[in-house]
Amino acid sequence: MLHPLKKRAAVLLSISTAVAAAALATPVTAAPAAPAAQAAPAPSKAALRWTGCATPRYPTLQCASLKVPLDHARPAGRQIALALTRVPHTAATSQGPLLVNPGGPGGSGRTLAGFVASALPKDVAAQYDVIGFDPRGVGKSEPALDCGAGHFTPVRPDSVPRDEATEQANLERVRSFAESCGTKHADVLPHIDTVSAARDIEVLRGALGAERISYFGYSYGTYLGAVYAKLHPGRVHRLVLDSVVDPGGVWYEDNLSQDLAFDARHKAFLAWVATYDETYRLGTDPEEVEERWYAMREALREAPAGGKVGPAELEDTFMPGGYFNGYWPNLAEAFAAYAVKADPKPLVAAYERFGAVEPSAGNGYSVYTAVQCRDSAWPKDWNQWRADMWRTHARAPFMTWNNAWYNAPCAFWPTEPLKAPDVTNADLPPALLLQATEDAATPFEGALSMREKLKGAALVVEEGGGNHGISLSGNKCLDEKVSAYLKTGRAADATCPAQAAPKPTAATRAVPASAGGAALHGLLGFRG
């Protein structure tokens, strides 16, 4: 669903064969989220030793490491380490820790602490210790998952399986990845899931010496925050959820909903291109522009651009435009260069910027699959996947099959699924939810569902907005609502206008300042 993989995403998601076979023969099962009393005892505040790890951008940043149980049902057993960052409060009176999470699952949150502390008004940030963390398995936390290199090496088979050979090639890729995870990380995979990560947050709260914590999560981070709040409602001070996951669709149904929303967002991009025909020369009719985009996709089946960009890589390249319209001018230039001027070089450059994997992507994608496949049940019968994807593809051809193959390791995952907890919660202080009406990665209905489940929650809507991750990204109205809530804890339903759409830019590598949010979206990544 929310994939922490692509070029900017590190900031857009295996022991012996005998042991892996034993793990498969003896499925690991677990009950739904248990009461807070079953969580591991929190260590003392002295367990955290903060040291300076300043960067030029974040000169007060500090780092630490926290030990947590691999299996919270066995708190005295094997320990793993979480990597933490902190920007300390500077006000005379503190409101305590504010934990931040960029989503994923699989996204690293260490840099996000510095970003959030600097993006909030100074008087608000001064009241909090802003805490970033790499969840279990992620980034600098230990052990870090990496199930196999080369999974996204171009050129991959066409994502749309028009024949049996293409489908089998894609199935072999995803089955091999799942088997590699089971071989390399058999001892860890049963404990990489959202409930375990939420229990880690409670251990972190104890290590921070805080009676209560505040939490600010984007994307998948909204679900992680809601699960933590379900386990420990009395430990929540403030809860900000931006671009909200539908907790009722975790995760197979949420992905199908996402496919439809991404297709609509891609059409919005193509319509934007049509309004600037004088720049891009791709036509004034959105349907004509769409036809030319799919003609480009078809041509790349026969001759991948630069030997790198086939149909699957093309989808990877344009999918980030569904997360952030600040990328639209760059993507439109690449599209026009290929379709109008027969020049593939800008398209290859766009792929390398937006679509190509980077060295850390193997970790992010490994955690993404580990969490999503473990959190809840996925169909094990490939015939169901095939039927559902073709039905959805008929309505939403842009990335239905691309997204299917991204998640398809779950059809072959070597651990048994858990039951997703019901996050319904009447014991929380009021939460603040923020949601754009046209968000593709977490469609609007998810925010409505979450608000129903969190009693007293307020929903701030960015009317007409289509970006994913909307606060602290340039919308003054939204940012004022977040700041007021973090100050006072009071929130009410509200509507904010969306930021203006970007305008064409001359330089392919430029992100227009008018779009806002480039810094945030570099941290959230794509599919993350």
Side-chain angles (χ1 to χ4, degrees):
M1 168 163 174
L2 310 174
H3 318 320
L5 169 65
K6 300 302 177 189
K7 188 71 175 178
R8 297 165 63 90
V11 151
L12 186 75
L13 252 122
S14 287
I15 298 186
S16 70
T17 302
V19 173
L24 287 166
T26 309
V28 179
T29 58
Q38 294 186 21
S44 68
K45 187 176 181 181
L48 289 180
R49 292 191 295 274
W50 295 99
T51 59
C53 57
T55 68
R57 183 173 297 228
Y58 307 125
T60 62
L61 197 67
Q62 300 173 340
C63 292
S65 180
L66 172 68
K67 297 289 188 181
V68 299
L70 173 64
D71 182 354
H72 283 280
R74 297 175 176 82
R78 178 182 172 184
Q79 304 290 295
I80 60 175
L82 304 185
L84 314 174
T85 56
R86 177 178 74 169
V87 177
H89 75 278
T90 56
T93 302
S94 171
Q95 294 207 47
L98 172 63
L99 275 62
V100 296
N101 181 273
S108 168
R110 288 175 295 117
T111 303
L112 189 63
F115 172 83
V116 169
S118 63
L120 288 170
K122 290 182 179 179
D123 64 323
V124 178
Q127 299 175 36
Y128 288 93
D129 294 316
V130 183
I131 308 291
F133 63 101
D134 283 354
R136 55 175 53 208
V138 175
K140 296 296 184 182
S141 292
E142 297 176 352
L145 268 62
D146 195 345
C147 292
H151 187 66
F152 292 96
T153 299
V155 172
R156 309 197 306 272
D158 190 346
S159 58
V160 179
R162 303 183 190 186
D163 53 55
E164 184 177 355
T166 303
E167 182 176 48
Q168 289 303 315
N170 277 304
L171 281 170
E172 178 57 31
R173 285 181 63 250
V174 300
R175 184 185 290 110
S176 176
F177 184 85
E179 291 173 353
S180 176
C181 272
T183 300
K184 293 181 68 175
H185 300 295
D187 55 338
V188 175
L189 284 189
H191 309 290
I192 306 295
D193 60 88
T194 299
V195 171
S196 293
R199 295 202 186 283
D200 291 343
I201 292 175
E202 176 62 6
V203 177
L204 174 55
R205 180 201 61 77
L208 293 167
E211 286 297 317
R212 293 187 297 168
I213 61 167
S214 297
Y215 180 93
F216 191 154
Y218 290 94
S219 193
Y220 162 79
T222 65
Y223 182 64
L224 175 59
V227 171
Y228 174 78
K230 177 67 173 184
L231 294 174
H232 304 285
R235 298 300 192 182
V236 176
H237 178 55
R238 306 272 190 269
L239 184 63
V240 182
L241 307 180
D242 183 328
S243 303
V244 185
V245 165
D246 184 348
V250 174
W251 290 111
Y252 185 73
E253 294 299 328
D254 276 351
N255 274 279
L256 292 173
S257 297
Q258 190 185 51
D259 296 338
L260 299 172
F262 262 104
D263 198 80
R265 195 64 183 151
H266 185 58
K267 284 182 169 63
F269 160 69
L270 298 171
W272 177 88
V273 171
T275 65
Y276 292 104
D277 180 57
E278 70 278 8
T279 300
Y280 301 118
R281 304 298 181 187
L282 286 162
T284 59
D285 181 353
E287 291 188 2
E288 177 187 351
V289 177
E290 184 174 20
E291 288 176 2
R292 296 190 74 168
W293 193 90
Y294 282 100
M296 174 173 63
R297 187 189 190 283
E298 187 67 18
L300 293 171
R301 290 183 72 240
E302 302 300 324
K308 293 182 178 180
V309 185
E313 291 76 25
L314 181 73
E315 292 159 348
D316 294 347
T317 302
F318 279 77
M319 178 268 299
Y323 284 86
F324 178 47
N325 63 8
Y327 303 135
W328 286 4
N330 302 164
L331 296 172
E333 286 184 11
F335 177 13
Y338 184 91
V340 178
K341 301 177 183 178
D343 180 3
K345 291 190 293 294
L347 184 61
V348 174
Y351 164 70
E352 290 174 344
R353 179 182 179 190
F354 296 115
V357 300
E358 55 186 11
S360 63
N363 170 247
Y365 180 64
S366 297
V367 177
Y368 170 87
T369 49
V371 171
Q372 295 238 325
C373 300
R374 177 71 165 146
D375 266 2
S376 61
W378 293 72
K380 294 298 184 183
D381 181 354
W382 185 250
N383 289 325
Q384 181 178 341
W385 286 73
R386 183 189 294 113
D388 289 343
M389 297 314 146
W390 279 121
R391 182 168 52 250
T392 307
H393 175 85
R395 298 172 58 193
F398 170 53
M399 64 164 282
T400 293
W401 274 106
N402 186 299
N403 199 28
W405 297 120
Y406 201 94
N407 291 280
C410 293
F412 309 101
W413 205 246
T415 59
E416 289 297 311
L418 303 172
K419 180 180 179 182
D422 180 0
V423 300
T424 300
N425 203 326
D427 300 319
L428 281 175
L432 178 67
L433 281 56
L434 303 110
Q435 184 70 38
T437 55
E438 312 307 315
D439 183 356
T442 51
F444 184 72
E445 292 74 16
L448 298 178
S449 175
M450 186 72 83
R451 183 178 61 172
E452 286 186 3
K453 291 180 178 296
L454 304 183
K455 184 178 180 180
L459 175 59
V460 177
V461 175
E462 187 182 45
E463 185 64 41
N467 290 340
H468 180 69
I470 55 175
S471 62
L472 306 186
S473 59
N475 188 316
K476 182 180 179 182
C477 175
L478 294 171
D479 293 351
E480 287 175 347
K481 299 291 190 293
V482 172
S483 297
Y485 172 76
L486 289 174
K487 279 184 178 179
T488 68
R490 295 190 294 273
D493 289 351
T495 299
C496 290
Q499 297 185 80
K503 295 185 181 300
T505 56
T508 299
R509 284 181 279 182
V511 174
S514 61
L520 173 67
H521 288 84
L523 294 174
L524 300 186
F526 313 137
R527 301 189 176 190

